[in-house]
Amino acid sequence: MSEFLNIASEVLRRVSHPMSANAIWRWAENEQMIPDDFAGKTPTATLRSKLSVHILRNGESSPFVRTASGKFYLRELLDSKWKPYQAARLEPPGRNEQVLVFKTELLDQAGRFQGIKKSCARLYRELLRPDKITYLPRVNAEARDDHKQIVTYVMVTSGEKLLAFKRGNYTRTDRFLRGSHCIGFGGHVVNADLTFFNNADSGVRDSAIRELSEELTLPESDRKRLPEHLELVGALNDDSSAVGRRHFAFIFRYEVASPEEWKQPQRGEKAVTELRWLDPTRPDFVMPQFEYWSQLCLRVFYAGAVRAEPWFFVRRRKAFTNLNMLCILGPVASGKTEATQVFKNDYNYSEVNSGRTLAGLLRIPPVPQTPRLEFLSKALKFIKTPTGPDRLATAMWEKAKALGQSRVLVDGIRNRATLDALRRVAGSSRLALIYIHTPADIAFDFYIEREGKPISIEEFIQIRESSVESEVVEMIEDADAVLYNWTGKPNYKQTIHAMIRDTGLHI
């Protein structure tokens, strides 16, 4: 969940009665629960929107519920006094449209890849043959893994500059493009894009033109030249997430006709916000603010310009004062072990490893003596028991106390239940969380290097998305600091040192 929703959950749990978004936010401010980096003129409106959207999208599986118009509560705390209230539902556009798809097995036959393939002309011809594609209702396609939905992704350039924007929430786009900074305009190819004249590519190119013309207000000169100057530059396949596995993108580039006419680009849709020209060569360029597909494009098409160095961001500085325990979180192969070694070797921290602690409770050898998938399966069964999280948290806390050190870190907590249990066990002792984020394709390379044996991207994703690992990605919202790991170990270690100095953890 987002930080807004985490705050709402904690407030409602403490107060134990329904509240409006305004009341929730005022209560959180009074209790100093708002992170240092939160900004914006209307945080209560944002909170209200996020609560409403979460209830709309998740229904009864959402932990939140309305008890009256404008009143929110936690579903688990409902009793005879408060009943669920059903608000009128608003549907986003485009839910009944027919989208262009191909069978996923065709990509295996053509040669499956992870990331971006620049030489894609043959793939473009093969996958878009009329006998290879079909149309499905979008609502059905979004729930199927046996087909990939075809989307277009257009980069708009002006010399060395690249047009960037932030995509809003109320839009037809999927989660991998929603609510993040982006450098690609486009969307699904739909049946209305197909005409008698574009049967050769099933309307994909015309779809890209339509989407760009809808999302931006194009000068007249660009409207006329766009069809001839739209260049196919790559294909993108992302199997690192469930949403990514259901989509396949063809990437286009469009160079504007006149930089003078594009000094102040104008949006065409409300979902496109913060429209501006981006210079990837600037030293203050920050990669993590972009959604994953944009990051892939920047690393491939602007490899010589983008300074894809590790980077960190401190969200709550107060969490690192008078600290008793540091927790390092992140998905498999994100770089947690390397970060832990820096803390241990250079700053005299003592480690409590959650995996080895859990292995002791399970009475089995840790990974790699026990195969990883076998260990994860047994770990999940343990954590799902009523006492599992508390037993693991207690064991880690006892190990930490036994060390007799003032600098202790816990490496590798995998789920929020264990983290919450550790906080309860710790009582008034202060815990701070550092989350390490590494893009899936780079984590895959790290994993192969660490394990020293070949493994397919599909096998790696199976490990990364195993049930016991499934909550880790969401725990970035709990982090007091986030470390973004983009490159090899030398630069990564330098960034760890910089973050430690910045947060005062070296003192």
Side-chain angles (χ1 to χ4, degrees):
M1 294 192 298
S2 74
E3 186 64 31
F4 279 95
L5 297 182
N6 286 334
I7 290 171
S9 177
E10 183 64 23
V11 170
L12 292 171
R13 194 176 304 280
R14 293 189 194 180
V15 174
S16 296
H17 63 74
M19 302 175 74
S20 68
N22 286 337
I24 292 172
W25 194 258
R26 286 197 303 270
W27 202 96
E29 284 182 325
N30 291 337
E31 294 297 313
Q32 298 184 336
M33 295 169 61
I34 310 301
D36 297 342
D37 62 296
F38 263 44
K41 297 180 179 179
T42 57
T44 56
T46 301
L47 176 60
R48 186 184 307 110
S49 173
K50 286 185 177 293
L51 285 166
S52 299
V53 170
H54 199 275
I55 294 170
L56 172 64
R57 289 181 183 163
N58 298 282
E60 292 187 359
S61 64
S62 171
F64 302 101
V65 64
R66 283 188 181 88
T67 58
S69 179
K71 295 286 188 178
F72 300 94
Y73 200 32
L74 291 177
R75 191 176 299 275
E76 65 183 83
L77 299 182
L78 286 173
D79 56 23
S80 58
K81 188 184 299 185
W82 294 293
K83 303 292 185 182
Y85 166 81
Q86 185 66 44
R89 177 168 180 149
L90 296 176
E91 288 286 349
R95 297 297 297 176
N96 296 319
E97 64 190 357
Q98 299 278 322
V99 296
L100 186 68
V101 301
F102 64 84
K103 289 185 176 180
T104 303
E105 63 187 33
L106 293 177
L107 187 58
D108 293 318
Q109 297 169 10
R112 184 183 290 267
F113 61 96
Q114 170 66 27
I116 293 175
K117 193 180 192 70
K118 294 175 74 173
S119 301
C120 67
R122 183 187 64 81
L123 196 61
Y124 189 81
R125 292 192 302 270
E126 287 296 315
L127 291 180
L128 298 180
R129 283 171 43 187
D131 60 326
K132 300 290 187 182
I133 54 90
T134 188
Y135 293 92
L136 290 175
R138 179 169 172 182
V139 67
N140 294 341
E142 288 175 346
R144 298 180 60 166
D145 290 331
D146 59 341
H147 285 74
K148 278 186 173 282
Q149 302 165 60
I150 299 174
V151 297
T152 58
Y153 198 85
V154 184
M155 298 183 294
V156 178
T157 60
S158 177
E160 296 298 320
K161 293 183 179 180
L162 183 63
L163 195 60
F165 65 102
K166 187 174 183 180
R167 197 181 291 274
N169 285 325
Y170 192 71
T171 172
R172 292 177 294 170
T173 57
D174 290 280
R175 283 174 290 171
F176 54 80
L177 295 180
R178 185 180 293 158
S180 295
H181 294 271
C182 189
I183 62 167
F185 299 86
H188 286 79
V189 182
V190 299
N191 55 343
D193 292 317
L194 183 65
T195 69
F196 178 79
F197 302 101
N198 62 21
N199 191 57
D201 75 347
S202 302
V204 170
R205 188 180 184 84
D206 284 349
S207 175
I209 294 171
R210 172 184 58 78
E211 289 281 0
L212 190 62
S213 301
E214 290 174 355
E215 295 191 337
L216 295 175
T217 300
L218 302 178
E220 186 60 29
S221 57
D222 290 280
R223 286 186 173 277
K224 292 179 179 179
R225 73 191 292 273
L226 177 57
E228 289 76 32
H229 289 79
L230 190 67
E231 177 188 7
L232 176 68
V233 294
L236 190 155
N237 183 60
D238 172 23
D239 289 329
S240 68
S241 69
V243 176
R245 283 193 292 276
R246 295 174 188 142
H247 295 80
F248 186 90
F250 284 109
I251 306 169
F252 296 87
R253 189 199 321 258
Y254 176 68
E255 175 71 17
V256 302
S258 169
E260 188 67 26
E261 288 187 298
W262 282 82
K263 279 188 175 180
Q264 294 183 319
Q266 300 296 314
R267 67 181 182 177
E269 293 182 347
K270 290 183 178 180
V272 175
T273 64
E274 300 182 31
L275 193 62
R276 79 278 186 198
W277 287 108
L278 171 75
D279 183 357
T281 65
R282 286 178 58 94
D284 58 352
F285 175 80
V286 179
M287 179 85 80
Q289 66 182 312
F290 292 92
E291 47 85 22
Y292 181 48
W293 283 19
S294 290
Q295 293 171 17
L296 288 173
C297 289
L298 286 164
R299 283 195 269 130
V300 170
F301 298 108
Y302 292 84
V306 173
R307 297 168 60 252
E309 296 180 359
W311 180 79
F312 68 89
F313 175 57
V314 179
R315 303 178 67 211
R316 286 179 284 264
R317 259 171 221 288
K318 294 177 183 177
F320 296 96
T321 59
N322 302 317
L323 187 64
N324 298 105
M325 179 179 285
L326 180 66
C327 298
I328 298 182
L329 316 173
V332 61
S334 58
K336 297 186 299 296
T337 300
E338 288 79 3
T340 297
Q341 292 304 313
V342 170
F343 275 99
K344 289 170 61 178
N345 298 336
D346 299 339
Y347 298 94
N348 297 318
Y349 276 76
S350 297
E351 176 195 6
V352 175
N353 184 276
S354 63
R356 289 194 288 270
T357 304
L358 181 55
L361 293 173
L362 294 172
R363 297 182 180 179
I364 61 174
V367 177
Q369 289 91 338
T370 299
R372 184 175 293 274
L373 288 177
E374 178 185 339
F375 186 89
L376 292 177
S377 176
K378 293 182 177 180
L380 178 63
K381 290 180 181 178
F382 178 88
I383 291 297
K384 290 296 183 181
T385 63
T387 60
D390 287 309
R391 289 178 60 194
L392 178 56
T394 300
M396 290 189 295
W397 184 252
E398 292 298 329
K399 280 192 173 185
K401 289 198 300 182
L403 291 170
Q405 303 290 327
S406 60
R407 294 187 173 189
V408 178
L409 66 84
V410 175
D411 170 23
I413 293 177
R414 291 289 191 271
N415 58 81
R416 188 170 279 111
T418 303
L419 181 60
D420 290 343
L422 183 59
R423 283 173 167 153
R424 288 194 299 271
V425 173
S428 60
S429 299
R430 294 177 63 88
L431 275 66
L433 311 181
I434 294 177
Y435 185 96
I436 301 178
H437 170 75
T438 303
D441 56 314
I442 295 179
F444 175 53
D445 294 335
F446 288 165
Y447 185 85
I448 292 176
E449 179 184 348
R450 185 182 73 187
E451 297 296 311
K453 59 182 180 181
I455 182 176
S456 68
I457 183 66
E458 291 82 8
E459 291 172 313
F460 175 69
I461 296 302
Q462 182 184 4
I463 293 172
R464 191 176 171 98
E465 294 187 350
S466 62
S467 297
V468 76
E469 295 275 348
S470 60
E471 288 188 35
V472 177
V473 174
E474 296 180 359
M475 291 171 73
I476 193 171
E477 301 292 349
D478 298 301
D480 300 303
V482 180
L483 180 61
Y484 295 88
N485 183 7
W486 306 104
T487 56
K489 294 179 181 178
N491 287 340
Y492 178 46
K493 288 184 178 180
Q494 293 173 13
T495 306
I496 296 171
H497 285 295
M499 182 190 66
I500 290 172
R501 290 191 297 270
D502 185 77
T503 53
L505 292 174
H506 64 297
I507 300 173

